[in-house]
Amino acid sequence: MSKIFAHRGYSGKYPENTMLAFRKAVEAGADGIELDVQLTRDGEVVIIHDELVDRTTNGKGRVNNYTLEELRKLDASAGYVGVYGVNPIPTFREYCEYVKDLPIVTNIEMKTGVLEYLGIEEKVLNMIHEFHLEDRVVISSFNHFTIKRMMAMEPELKYGFLSETWIINAGKYCHEQGVDCYHPLFRNLIPSVVDELKSYGLEINTYTVNTPEDVQDMLDKGIDIIISNFPEMALEVREKQ
Ligand code: G3P
Ligand code: CA
């Protein structure tokens, strides 16, 4: 059965990548949570999607121009200012503390596609170990070099390559590179692509599936993880199977 993951937490209804959105995803019954990690100026791993704080907070500028203390003063409520109180940018540590005893799988997206954030790999891996999350994480990135570096450091964890383009023979590529999962944009999962990926035994984890029709299509195609901004909707579609 396909798993339903909440994209940036329950971001369809709550401010993305906040503890509120993560808690709401758990309350909704999601099987897992997808989130994005970056580094502050003083090297703390924080959960935020853009390299700039402008879109999702009341601040301006690059995440890595802020210390953690400065960053924590911002409100990441974005389109929900004043609706759910103040929602700071979470640290990855705070998130790990929250999920450590929950049966939730976390898809950690390493946001190293624009800025490399050298050293972020070790910090994330150390945190996974500290909170004993080894069996409850899938690590992905658009930067496949990041994934290869992490695989070399910690081969036992589950890794996936993210892609938003139409790659030919993606299954062969993933297999040759030794990753367990492929994370494509859902629109690229035409039958021949799904077949090629499955022929290599890859786990297929797709984003961002936000309508009941598209969720149904992904269920019909036997996709392993369906990542959605609306986990409740996706769970309802799955329950009707
Ligand atoms: O990990 C799936 C998806 O989150 C990748 O795209 O831009 O939403 O981080 P983006
Ligand atoms: Ca992401």
Short mmCIF file of all heavy atoms in Angstrom, two decimals, residues 137-173:
data_model
loop_
_atom_site.label_atom_id
_atom_site.label_comp_id
_atom_site.label_asym_id
_atom_site.label_seq_id
_atom_site.Cartn_x
_atom_site.Cartn_y
_atom_site.Cartn_z
N VAL A 137 13.96 7.23 8.46
CA VAL A 137 14.31 8.36 7.59
C VAL A 137 14.55 7.88 6.15
O VAL A 137 15.00 6.76 5.91
CB VAL A 137 15.58 9.12 8.06
CG1 VAL A 137 15.33 9.87 9.36
CG2 VAL A 137 16.78 8.20 8.18
N VAL A 138 14.20 8.77 5.22
CA VAL A 138 14.60 8.64 3.82
C VAL A 138 15.26 9.98 3.50
O VAL A 138 14.64 11.03 3.69
CB VAL A 138 13.39 8.45 2.88
CG1 VAL A 138 13.88 8.22 1.45
CG2 VAL A 138 12.50 7.33 3.34
N ILE A 139 16.50 9.94 3.04
CA ILE A 139 17.23 11.18 2.78
C ILE A 139 17.28 11.41 1.28
O ILE A 139 17.67 10.51 0.52
CB ILE A 139 18.66 11.09 3.36
CG1 ILE A 139 18.58 10.78 4.86
CG2 ILE A 139 19.44 12.38 3.10
CD1 ILE A 139 19.91 10.41 5.48
N SER A 140 16.86 12.61 0.85
CA SER A 140 16.83 12.88 -0.59
C SER A 140 17.43 14.25 -0.87
O SER A 140 17.55 15.09 0.02
CB SER A 140 15.38 12.83 -1.11
OG SER A 140 14.60 13.82 -0.47
N SER A 141 17.79 14.45 -2.15
CA SER A 141 18.30 15.77 -2.57
C SER A 141 18.28 15.86 -4.09
O SER A 141 18.44 14.85 -4.79
CB SER A 141 19.73 15.97 -2.06
OG SER A 141 20.18 17.27 -2.36
N PHE A 142 18.10 17.10 -4.57
CA PHE A 142 18.31 17.35 -5.99
C PHE A 142 19.80 17.34 -6.29
O PHE A 142 20.20 17.17 -7.44
CB PHE A 142 17.71 18.72 -6.39
CG PHE A 142 16.22 18.74 -6.43
CD1 PHE A 142 15.47 19.35 -5.43
CD2 PHE A 142 15.53 18.13 -7.48
CE1 PHE A 142 14.08 19.37 -5.47
CE2 PHE A 142 14.14 18.14 -7.53
CZ PHE A 142 13.42 18.76 -6.52
N ASN A 143 20.62 17.57 -5.27
CA ASN A 143 22.07 17.52 -5.44
C ASN A 143 22.53 16.08 -5.16
O ASN A 143 22.67 15.67 -4.00
CB ASN A 143 22.73 18.50 -4.47
CG ASN A 143 24.24 18.54 -4.67
OD1 ASN A 143 24.84 17.59 -5.20
ND2 ASN A 143 24.87 19.63 -4.26
N HIS A 144 22.74 15.34 -6.21
CA HIS A 144 23.06 13.93 -6.06
C HIS A 144 24.45 13.72 -5.46
O HIS A 144 24.73 12.66 -4.89
CB HIS A 144 22.90 13.21 -7.40
CG HIS A 144 21.50 13.31 -7.94
ND1 HIS A 144 21.10 12.74 -9.12
CD2 HIS A 144 20.38 13.92 -7.44
CE1 HIS A 144 19.80 13.00 -9.33
NE2 HIS A 144 19.36 13.73 -8.33
N PHE A 145 25.33 14.72 -5.58
CA PHE A 145 26.64 14.63 -4.93
C PHE A 145 26.48 14.58 -3.41
O PHE A 145 27.20 13.87 -2.71
CB PHE A 145 27.53 15.82 -5.31
CG PHE A 145 27.99 15.80 -6.74
CD1 PHE A 145 27.31 16.50 -7.72
CD2 PHE A 145 29.12 15.07 -7.12
CE1 PHE A 145 27.73 16.48 -9.04
CE2 PHE A 145 29.55 15.04 -8.44
CZ PHE A 145 28.86 15.74 -9.40
N THR A 146 25.53 15.35 -2.90
CA THR A 146 25.25 15.34 -1.45
C THR A 146 24.88 13.92 -1.00
O THR A 146 25.37 13.42 0.01
CB THR A 146 24.07 16.29 -1.11
OG1 THR A 146 24.44 17.61 -1.43
CG2 THR A 146 23.67 16.21 0.35
N ILE A 147 24.00 13.30 -1.78
CA ILE A 147 23.54 11.95 -1.43
C ILE A 147 24.71 10.96 -1.47
O ILE A 147 24.87 10.12 -0.57
CB ILE A 147 22.40 11.50 -2.38
CG1 ILE A 147 21.17 12.40 -2.20
CG2 ILE A 147 22.04 10.03 -2.18
CD1 ILE A 147 20.57 12.40 -0.81
N LYS A 148 25.54 11.08 -2.48
CA LYS A 148 26.69 10.16 -2.57
C LYS A 148 27.64 10.35 -1.39
O LYS A 148 28.18 9.38 -0.85
CB LYS A 148 27.44 10.39 -3.90
CG LYS A 148 26.66 9.97 -5.12
CD LYS A 148 26.47 8.46 -5.20
CE LYS A 148 27.72 7.75 -5.67
NZ LYS A 148 27.45 6.32 -5.96
N ARG A 149 27.84 11.60 -0.98
CA ARG A 149 28.71 11.85 0.18
C ARG A 149 28.12 11.21 1.43
O ARG A 149 28.83 10.60 2.23
CB ARG A 149 28.87 13.36 0.41
CG ARG A 149 29.94 14.01 -0.45
CD ARG A 149 30.38 15.36 0.11
NE ARG A 149 29.34 16.36 0.02
CZ ARG A 149 29.18 17.19 -1.01
NH1 ARG A 149 30.00 17.11 -2.05
NH2 ARG A 149 28.21 18.08 -1.01
N MET A 150 26.82 11.34 1.60
CA MET A 150 26.17 10.78 2.79
C MET A 150 26.19 9.25 2.75
O MET A 150 26.38 8.59 3.78
CB MET A 150 24.74 11.31 2.92
CG MET A 150 24.72 12.81 3.19
SD MET A 150 23.08 13.53 3.36
CE MET A 150 22.70 13.21 5.09
N MET A 151 26.01 8.70 1.56
CA MET A 151 26.06 7.23 1.42
C MET A 151 27.44 6.70 1.80
O MET A 151 27.56 5.62 2.39
CB MET A 151 25.72 6.82 -0.02
CG MET A 151 24.25 6.95 -0.34
SD MET A 151 23.94 6.82 -2.10
CE MET A 151 24.33 5.11 -2.40
N ALA A 152 28.46 7.46 1.43
CA ALA A 152 29.83 7.03 1.76
C ALA A 152 30.04 7.07 3.27
O ALA A 152 30.71 6.22 3.85
CB ALA A 152 30.84 7.93 1.06
N MET A 153 29.42 8.06 3.93
CA MET A 153 29.58 8.19 5.39
C MET A 153 28.73 7.19 6.14
O MET A 153 29.13 6.65 7.16
CB MET A 153 29.17 9.61 5.82
CG MET A 153 30.15 10.69 5.42
SD MET A 153 29.61 12.29 6.09
CE MET A 153 29.10 13.11 4.62
N GLU A 154 27.50 6.96 5.63
CA GLU A 154 26.52 6.10 6.33
C GLU A 154 25.77 5.24 5.33
O GLU A 154 24.64 5.55 4.95
CB GLU A 154 25.50 6.98 7.08
CG GLU A 154 25.95 7.49 8.40
CD GLU A 154 26.24 6.38 9.39
OE1 GLU A 154 25.74 5.25 9.22
OE2 GLU A 154 26.98 6.65 10.34
N PRO A 155 26.37 4.15 4.86
CA PRO A 155 25.74 3.36 3.80
C PRO A 155 24.44 2.68 4.19
O PRO A 155 23.65 2.30 3.32
CB PRO A 155 26.81 2.32 3.44
CG PRO A 155 27.96 2.54 4.32
CD PRO A 155 27.66 3.63 5.29
N GLU A 156 24.19 2.52 5.49
CA GLU A 156 23.02 1.72 5.91
C GLU A 156 21.69 2.45 5.84
O GLU A 156 20.64 1.84 5.95
CB GLU A 156 23.23 1.21 7.35
CG GLU A 156 24.45 0.33 7.54
CD GLU A 156 24.45 -0.86 6.59
OE1 GLU A 156 23.39 -1.46 6.38
OE2 GLU A 156 25.53 -1.17 6.05
N LEU A 157 21.70 3.76 5.68
CA LEU A 157 20.43 4.50 5.68
C LEU A 157 19.79 4.44 4.30
O LEU A 157 20.39 3.97 3.33
CB LEU A 157 20.67 5.96 6.09
CG LEU A 157 21.30 6.16 7.47
CD1 LEU A 157 21.45 7.64 7.78
CD2 LEU A 157 20.48 5.48 8.55
N LYS A 158 18.53 4.93 4.21
CA LYS A 158 17.81 4.91 2.92
C LYS A 158 17.96 6.26 2.23
O LYS A 158 17.73 7.31 2.84
CB LYS A 158 16.34 4.61 3.19
CG LYS A 158 15.57 4.26 1.93
CD LYS A 158 14.12 4.00 2.24
CE LYS A 158 13.85 2.52 2.49
NZ LYS A 158 12.40 2.24 2.50
N TYR A 159 18.35 6.19 0.93
CA TYR A 159 18.62 7.42 0.18
C TYR A 159 17.86 7.44 -1.14
O TYR A 159 17.61 6.39 -1.75
CB TYR A 159 20.11 7.52 -0.15
CG TYR A 159 21.00 7.65 1.07
CD1 TYR A 159 21.63 6.52 1.60
CD2 TYR A 159 21.18 8.88 1.67
CE1 TYR A 159 22.44 6.63 2.73
CE2 TYR A 159 22.00 9.00 2.80
CZ TYR A 159 22.62 7.86 3.32
OH TYR A 159 23.42 7.97 4.43
N GLY A 160 17.53 8.65 -1.61
CA GLY A 160 16.88 8.79 -2.90
C GLY A 160 17.37 10.01 -3.66
O GLY A 160 17.76 11.02 -3.06
N PHE A 161 17.35 9.90 -4.98
CA PHE A 161 17.68 11.03 -5.84
C PHE A 161 16.39 11.75 -6.21
O PHE A 161 15.45 11.12 -6.71
CB PHE A 161 18.34 10.56 -7.14
CG PHE A 161 19.78 10.14 -7.01
CD1 PHE A 161 20.36 9.33 -7.98
CD2 PHE A 161 20.57 10.56 -5.94
CE1 PHE A 161 21.70 8.94 -7.89
CE2 PHE A 161 21.90 10.17 -5.84
CZ PHE A 161 22.46 9.35 -6.81
N LEU A 162 16.36 13.06 -5.99
CA LEU A 162 15.23 13.87 -6.44
C LEU A 162 15.44 14.31 -7.88
O LEU A 162 16.59 14.53 -8.32
CB LEU A 162 15.13 15.13 -5.57
CG LEU A 162 14.19 15.05 -4.35
CD1 LEU A 162 14.56 16.11 -3.34
CD2 LEU A 162 12.74 15.18 -4.77
N SER A 163 14.32 14.47 -8.60
CA SER A 163 14.41 14.97 -9.97
C SER A 163 13.12 15.67 -10.35
O SER A 163 12.04 15.24 -9.95
CB SER A 163 14.65 13.80 -10.93
OG SER A 163 14.45 14.24 -12.25
N GLU A 164 13.25 16.76 -11.09
CA GLU A 164 12.03 17.40 -11.61
C GLU A 164 12.03 17.41 -13.13
O GLU A 164 11.24 18.10 -13.75
CB GLU A 164 11.85 18.81 -11.03
CG GLU A 164 12.98 19.75 -11.29
CD GLU A 164 12.77 21.09 -10.60
OE1 GLU A 164 11.64 21.38 -10.18
OE2 GLU A 164 13.74 21.85 -10.51
N THR A 165 12.92 16.63 -13.73
CA THR A 165 12.97 16.59 -15.20
C THR A 165 12.71 15.18 -15.70
O THR A 165 12.68 14.22 -14.94
CB THR A 165 14.34 17.07 -15.72
OG1 THR A 165 15.34 16.25 -15.13
CG2 THR A 165 14.59 18.51 -15.39
N TRP A 166 12.58 15.10 -17.01
CA TRP A 166 12.28 13.82 -17.67
C TRP A 166 13.59 13.10 -17.97
O TRP A 166 14.15 13.24 -19.05
CB TRP A 166 11.50 14.07 -18.95
CG TRP A 166 10.14 14.65 -18.73
CD1 TRP A 166 9.85 15.95 -18.47
CD2 TRP A 166 8.90 13.94 -18.73
NE1 TRP A 166 8.49 16.10 -18.31
CE2 TRP A 166 7.88 14.89 -18.48
CE3 TRP A 166 8.55 12.61 -18.94
CZ2 TRP A 166 6.54 14.54 -18.42
CZ3 TRP A 166 7.21 12.26 -18.87
CH2 TRP A 166 6.23 13.22 -18.62
N ILE A 167 14.05 12.31 -17.03
CA ILE A 167 15.32 11.61 -17.21
C ILE A 167 15.07 10.25 -17.87
O ILE A 167 14.18 9.50 -17.44
CB ILE A 167 16.03 11.43 -15.86
CG1 ILE A 167 16.45 12.80 -15.32
CG2 ILE A 167 17.23 10.50 -15.98
CD1 ILE A 167 17.10 12.76 -13.98
N ILE A 168 15.84 9.95 -18.90
CA ILE A 168 15.74 8.64 -19.55
C ILE A 168 16.57 7.64 -18.74
O ILE A 168 17.67 7.95 -18.30
CB ILE A 168 16.25 8.73 -21.01
CG1 ILE A 168 15.33 9.66 -21.81
CG2 ILE A 168 16.34 7.34 -21.65
CD1 ILE A 168 15.86 10.03 -23.17
N ASN A 169 15.99 6.45 -18.54
CA ASN A 169 16.68 5.40 -17.80
C ASN A 169 17.07 5.84 -16.38
O ASN A 169 18.20 5.58 -15.93
CB ASN A 169 17.92 4.90 -18.56
CG ASN A 169 17.54 4.19 -19.84
OD1 ASN A 169 16.43 3.66 -19.96
ND2 ASN A 169 18.44 4.19 -20.80
N ALA A 170 16.15 6.49 -15.71
CA ALA A 170 16.41 6.94 -14.33
C ALA A 170 16.67 5.74 -13.42
O ALA A 170 17.49 5.81 -12.50
CB ALA A 170 15.24 7.76 -13.81
N GLY A 171 15.95 4.64 -13.68
CA GLY A 171 16.13 3.44 -12.85
C GLY A 171 17.56 2.92 -12.96
O GLY A 171 18.18 2.59 -11.95
N LYS A 172 18.04 2.88 -14.18
CA LYS A 172 19.42 2.39 -14.40
C LYS A 172 20.42 3.30 -13.68
O LYS A 172 21.35 2.83 -13.02
CB LYS A 172 19.69 2.37 -15.91
CG LYS A 172 21.03 1.82 -16.33
CD LYS A 172 21.02 1.57 -17.84
CE LYS A 172 22.30 0.94 -18.33
NZ LYS A 172 23.36 1.90 -18.53
N TYR A 173 20.19 4.60 -13.82
CA TYR A 173 21.07 5.58 -13.17
C TYR A 173 21.08 5.40 -11.65
O TYR A 173 22.15 5.31 -11.03
CB TYR A 173 20.60 6.99 -13.56
CG TYR A 173 21.23 8.11 -12.78
CD1 TYR A 173 22.61 8.34 -12.81
CD2 TYR A 173 20.45 8.98 -12.01
CE1 TYR A 173 23.18 9.38 -12.10
CE2 TYR A 173 21.01 10.02 -11.29
CZ TYR A 173 22.38 10.21 -11.33
OH TYR A 173 22.94 11.24 -10.62
#
